[in-house]
Amino acid sequence: MSTDHATETEETATGAGGDGKFGDYGGQYVPEALMPAIQELRDAYERYVVNNEDGFMDEFRRRLADFGGRPTPLQRADRLSERYDCDVYLKREDLLHGGAHKLNNALGQVLLAKYMGKDRIIAETGAGQHGTATAMAAAHLDMPCTIYMGERDINRQRPNVFRMKLNGSDVKPVTAGRGTLKEAISETMRDWAASVETTHYVIGSIVGPHPFPVMVRDFHAVISEEIRSQSRDQIGALPDAVVACAGGGSNTMGAFAHFVDDEDVDLVAVEAGGSSLSVDEEEGVAPNSASLSTGDEGVLHGARTKLLQDSSGQIMESHSISSGLDYAGVGPELAHLVDEGRVTPVAVDDDAALEGFHRLSNTEGIIPALETAHAFGYLEEYQDDLSGTVVVNVSGRGDKDLQAAIEETEARDVPNAPDMSMFSGGI
Amino acid sequence: MADSTGSAEAPEPAETRRSDGAAANSEIAAAFNDGPAFIPYLAVGDPSYEASKEYVEALARGGADIIELGLPFSEPIAEGPTIQGAIVRALEAGMTPNRYFEFVEDLAVDVPLVCMTYYNLIYQYSYDGDSEAQRASDASGGAASTGPAAFVARAAEAGISGLVVPDLPAEEADPLRAACDEHGLDLVFIVAPTTEGERLQSMMERVSGYVYVQARLGTTGTKSDVSDQTDRSLQRLSEWDVPKAVGFGISSGDQAERIVASGADGIIVGSALVDIVADGVDNDWSTEETAAKLESKAEELAKGATRGR
């Protein structure tokens, strides 16, 4: 990269100063029409989230407990602990209302929109987890809500579409490109550009222009806050490692945030390796979503970060067996922590993730989301590196993925899968 | 083709100056001297390199004073469905940044050309051939073989006079502005209906060439009414000494007339022209047929703008 890229002010890891920069990453690369809204949001973030003005954070935490069911348990996984000869603990975000960590952020942002006096919510969704969480939060707080979802994702995640509609949200299909999360984010930004005066955009991950990456991290940081106190209570020490899957990176940063300064705690971000880590430049396709492991620096959806892109800067179509990880970018803070050597990125491919899905299901009685399953693929593939206490963030449950899991299991040779042939064509 | 060396070296003194004193590109300044400027936009390479070249030349014949040439990016978040469609067609036909600059060099038009694109293509730019600009850069230590400096050097060499980058707000624009200053290119900013106060001031300090006044909130695309937000925006900018060109939604000569009558120094029209290209693709018109329709639409808009004076 040219020297122009190194002229930004340096900021420390998780801090992000007023300009929202993490090293060279982050910033506010958005159309001019959105800048005033982003500045308004930055002010609201500082007042209500950082300074708890009007008791915002107190109300947020109360609603997370009453409506969301926090705190979620930290549970020892006995079979996995035996298998890997170390103590494996599960942070059960799958038990949060809605079945995934996503509610932390959705509830926080919809509540913030109310404090800001906005009267409409829009959001994008990939797997549908953020969409369903936003729809639940919007219904809970009585806000009209429109969700943009790629057409391909709608087909992959039909039950989640029904859940959003049951909660009273309008679901708009996005047909551009390959019809996944990247296109849904672009389309939501277009809606926001037209409706910015009355509408808040509830972004679903630690991506986008400042203050979204820090704000979404702060709403999810309750995960690592609980892991800290629970591991002290239950184990008497901090864990030796925290492992989380990473797409955009919201559950990842949520699980890491309060450990960033504890250099003795290893932080492992498990990305979707898809079918291969190589790229097809001709077709503009990267058959993975491993932007931390393989991406280059660039600017997408309002922030400078690591991206899957071709040599001229066009954004690649990513791929993963799990639609929630299927994104060509990643949160700027995570990209920075990887460059700093604080977070270790690893890629786990579709096959290993599917094996991880079956392993957690049949040994621990927990059916994980396909996103989460990547973290269990990591435990298996890197078991020789594991020691002491390892906490895995179970970011979501797998009910939404049953159909995809059955189809993918049938299409592959998964050594630890049950015989699913009885379901052939019947679902 | 416009004389490219004129913009790559020291620009001549121009009438339009940025408030910090840097001279604007003289060709762009001149385009506003004889009455209101008609500034059409097309996505380069839509639907093919050859046809696109015919279309841009037709716009020049139809009375364009400046032409905005879109360099297609895969995630055009500021564009509505019409221009998104054009960008998809152009990318599918193989348009790339380096091919785009060859296109600019191939054009037989004598109006200033402004490159409209998104920041990632500038940030990632890497020159893939041999050029004067590249050799000069290599000779001086070669720091600018990639990124904004390399992009602007190549743009200046190809004959581009200015840049519009919709996802680059003034706050993030300093590296690009420095490169533009070095090569005598203008950096055009978009003022939205929501832009006020300090932000307006910050843009006034960085803008040169002309200011792109966004007529209404939302993405690009034609609208039957042109918002009264336009009048308010023009009012807010009345103190600025850069020309004010209004875009977003203009599709007819009558609208062009109204916008100029309410104080605009120029009109920018994209989607209404891209619609003609799209109709040509959908209805299998010949390249000549589409070019003729573009030329006559350009004439209508240019004449409308002149009537509004």
Side-chain angles (χ1 to χ4, degrees):
Chain A
M1 294 285 95
S2 89
T3 48
D4 292 315
H5 301 160
T7 55
E8 314 288 346
T9 17
E10 278 289 316
E11 292 290 343
T12 50
T14 46
D19 61 352
K21 294 277 165 67
F22 304 96
D24 285 346
Y25 297 114
Q28 299 179 310
Y29 296 86
V30 293
E32 175 55 31
L34 294 180
M35 285 302 288
I38 284 170
Q39 290 187 332
E40 182 191 351
L41 184 62
R42 192 186 62 197
D43 293 344
Y45 162 72
E46 281 163 9
R47 284 171 57 195
Y48 298 118
V49 181
V50 177
N51 296 318
N52 193 27
E53 199 173 307
D54 299 341
F56 171 85
M57 285 303 282
D58 303 327
E59 180 174 354
F60 170 56
R61 283 170 182 274
R62 180 175 61 72
R63 288 183 186 274
L64 269 186
D66 297 348
F67 180 66
R70 296 214 77 92
T72 61
L74 182 69
Q75 177 220 332
R76 187 170 190 276
D78 294 335
R79 252 71 57 200
L80 292 183
S81 296
E82 196 178 326
R83 183 180 181 94
Y84 301 129
D85 195 24
C86 64
D87 287 309
V88 177
Y89 280 81
L90 307 177
K91 179 58 176 167
R92 298 290 308 276
E93 289 297 295
D94 59 312
L95 293 178
L96 189 64
H97 179 41
H101 70 290
K102 293 287 185 186
L103 184 68
N104 300 323
N105 169 50
L107 189 63
Q109 285 201 54
V110 176
L111 188 63
L112 187 65
K114 261 197 129 66
Y115 274 61
M116 292 170 71
K118 301 287 179 183
D119 56 22
R120 174 175 175 257
I121 293 298
I122 53 173
E124 87 293 340
T125 195
Q129 290 305 90
H130 174 59
T132 54
T134 306
M136 291 185 314
H140 174 63
L141 292 165
D142 194 24
M143 290 277 263
C145 179
T146 298
I147 312 269
Y148 290 90
M149 188 169 184
E151 203 160 52
R152 178 188 165 93
D153 284 338
I154 286 180
N155 291 328
R156 288 198 280 191
Q157 305 287 348
R158 206 153 272 283
N160 272 344
V161 178
F162 294 137
R163 290 169 69 192
M164 289 181 257
K165 293 187 79 78
L166 285 170
N167 285 138
S169 284
D170 187 17
V171 180
K172 292 208 162 137
V174 179
T175 55
R178 221 168 46 99
T180 63
L181 180 59
K182 170 167 75 74
E183 290 79 20
I185 293 179
S186 293
E187 198 58 30
T188 316
M189 285 192 163
R190 292 186 185 106
D191 179 314
W192 204 29
S195 61
V196 63
E197 289 160 318
T198 59
T199 298
H200 176 65
Y201 174 15
V202 178
I203 209 163
S205 192
I206 55 165
V207 301
H210 179 66
F212 282 113
V214 287
M215 181 176 72
V216 175
R217 174 203 67 203
D218 286 358
F219 288 140
H220 281 303
V222 64
I223 302 171
S224 49
E225 187 184 302
E226 287 176 8
I227 297 174
R228 269 188 93 89
S229 66
Q230 288 166 328
S231 44
R232 284 205 164 115
D233 291 350
Q234 295 171 226
I235 310 159
L238 294 183
D240 295 290
V242 179
V243 179
C245 64
S250 70
N251 95 85
T252 333
M253 271 320 298
F256 293 174
H258 285 274
F259 293 108
V260 169
D261 294 334
D262 298 306
E263 296 283 342
D264 292 341
V265 180
D266 291 340
L267 304 176
V268 181
V270 186
E271 297 193 281
S275 56
S276 163
L277 286 183
S278 65
V279 298
D280 184 342
E281 177 102 1
E282 190 74 13
E283 288 295 314
V285 174
N288 62 70
S289 306
S291 42
L292 287 173
S293 309
T294 69
D296 297 320
E297 214 178 315
V299 174
L300 176 66
H301 292 143
R304 185 186 295 190
T305 186
K306 288 181 187 284
L307 302 176
L308 301 177
Q309 55 190 324
D310 71 13
S311 57
S312 56
Q314 306 292 359
I315 309 305
M316 295 262 196
E317 297 293 350
S318 56
H319 163 80
S320 169
I321 191 173
S322 64
S323 44
L325 300 184
D326 197 343
Y327 181 56
V330 65
E333 181 169 17
L334 211 41
H336 176 63
L337 290 172
V338 165
D339 280 3
E340 297 277 288
R342 182 65 192 93
V343 168
T344 307
V346 293
V348 162
D349 69 16
D350 288 345
D351 289 340
L354 204 52
E355 282 180 44
F357 172 88
H358 286 294
R359 189 171 306 106
L360 193 71
S361 300
N362 61 37
T363 66
E364 297 289 348
I366 298 167
I367 299 173
L370 284 173
E371 292 78 17
T372 312
H374 286 75
F376 294 95
Y378 162 80
L379 291 189
E380 182 76 9
E381 292 198 345
Y382 291 81
Q383 52 184 287
D384 294 344
D385 298 348
L386 305 178
S387 65
T389 307
V390 177
V391 173
V392 181
N393 194 30
V394 185
S395 54
R397 69 180 183 216
D399 303 47
K400 70 182 174 64
D401 291 323
L402 292 185
Q403 190 178 341
I406 290 168
E407 286 169 8
E408 294 286 355
T409 301
E410 273 187 358
R412 293 158 199 262
D413 184 19
V414 185
N416 65 344
D419 178 5
M420 304 290 252
S421 57
M422 65 197 294
F423 298 117
S424 290
I427 290 190
Chain B
M1 186 56 255
D3 175 15
S4 60
T5 55
S7 51
E9 286 159 17
E12 290 163 26
E15 289 187 12
T16 308
R17 286 178 173 276
R18 264 202 346 240
S19 50
D20 68 357
N25 181 285
S26 54
E27 291 163 14
I28 287 182
F32 287 91
N33 284 347
D34 300 324
F38 165 51
I39 309 172
Y41 163 98
L42 283 179
V44 166
D46 169 28
S48 69
Y49 185 102
E50 292 306 327
S52 181
K53 187 166 170 287
E54 298 291 323
Y55 298 163
V56 173
E57 288 165 3
L59 295 178
R61 287 194 302 275
D65 297 296
I66 294 170
I67 300 177
E68 287 186 356
L69 296 175
L71 164 56
F73 176 53
S74 57
E75 305 303 312
I77 56 174
E79 315 295 352
T82 301
I83 293 178
Q84 281 180 58
I87 286 170
V88 167
R89 287 190 298 270
L91 288 173
E92 281 174 355
M95 188 45 61
T96 66
N98 282 308
R99 190 104 175 96
Y100 172 93
F101 290 129
E102 289 165 23
F103 178 98
V104 173
E105 284 171 338
D106 269 2
L107 277 178
V109 299
D110 63 358
V111 296
L113 303 171
V114 169
C115 170
M116 183 160 182
T117 194
Y118 287 78
Y119 194 53
N120 200 49
L121 295 188
I122 296 173
Y123 186 76
Q124 280 295 325
Y125 182 71
S126 164
Y127 185 62
D128 70 350
D130 190 31
S131 75
E132 296 258 349
Q134 189 55 46
R135 281 194 297 275
S137 155
D138 290 345
S140 67
S145 60
T146 61
F151 185 92
V152 174
R154 181 69 184 104
E157 181 188 58
I160 291 287
S161 299
L163 298 176
V164 189
V165 190
D167 65 343
L168 186 69
E171 289 82 347
E172 307 281 1
D174 287 345
L176 186 61
R177 195 188 72 156
C180 284
D181 284 350
E182 190 186 332
H183 293 279
L185 262 65
D186 282 323
L187 185 54
V188 173
F189 286 105
I190 299 174
V191 170
T194 47
T195 311
E196 282 168 347
E198 283 176 22
R199 293 201 43 71
L200 212 51
Q201 189 63 33
S202 143
M203 291 168 76
M204 192 164 81
E205 285 162 12
R206 290 174 170 86
V207 75
S208 68
Y210 54 96
V211 59
Y212 188 140
V213 181
Q214 185 179 329
R216 56 173 169 75
L217 284 174
T219 52
T220 55
T222 60
K223 283 278 181 312
S224 53
D225 65 319
V226 179
S227 157
D228 62 352
Q229 286 174 329
T230 311
D231 291 341
R232 289 203 298 274
S233 295
L234 287 170
Q235 201 66 43
R236 282 208 308 280
L237 305 178
S238 57
E239 303 293 304
W240 291 28
D241 60 3
V242 281
K244 293 158 261 308
V246 174
F248 274 47
I250 301 170
S251 61
S252 71
D254 289 344
Q255 285 175 331
E257 180 182 352
R258 246 191 344 270
I259 297 273
V260 170
S262 58
D265 302 302
I267 55 151
I268 303 170
V269 181
S271 296
L273 299 165
V274 170
D275 271 336
I276 294 173
V277 176
D279 282 350
V281 171
D282 292 345
N283 300 312
D284 288 326
W285 296 341
S286 68
T287 300
E288 294 71 31
E289 207 173 344
T290 303
K293 286 177 199 284
L294 283 167
E295 184 175 341
S296 98
K297 189 71 184 175
E299 278 170 10
E300 175 198 330
L301 290 158
K303 282 178 183 157
T306 305
R307 279 200 309 276
R309 190 73 194 282

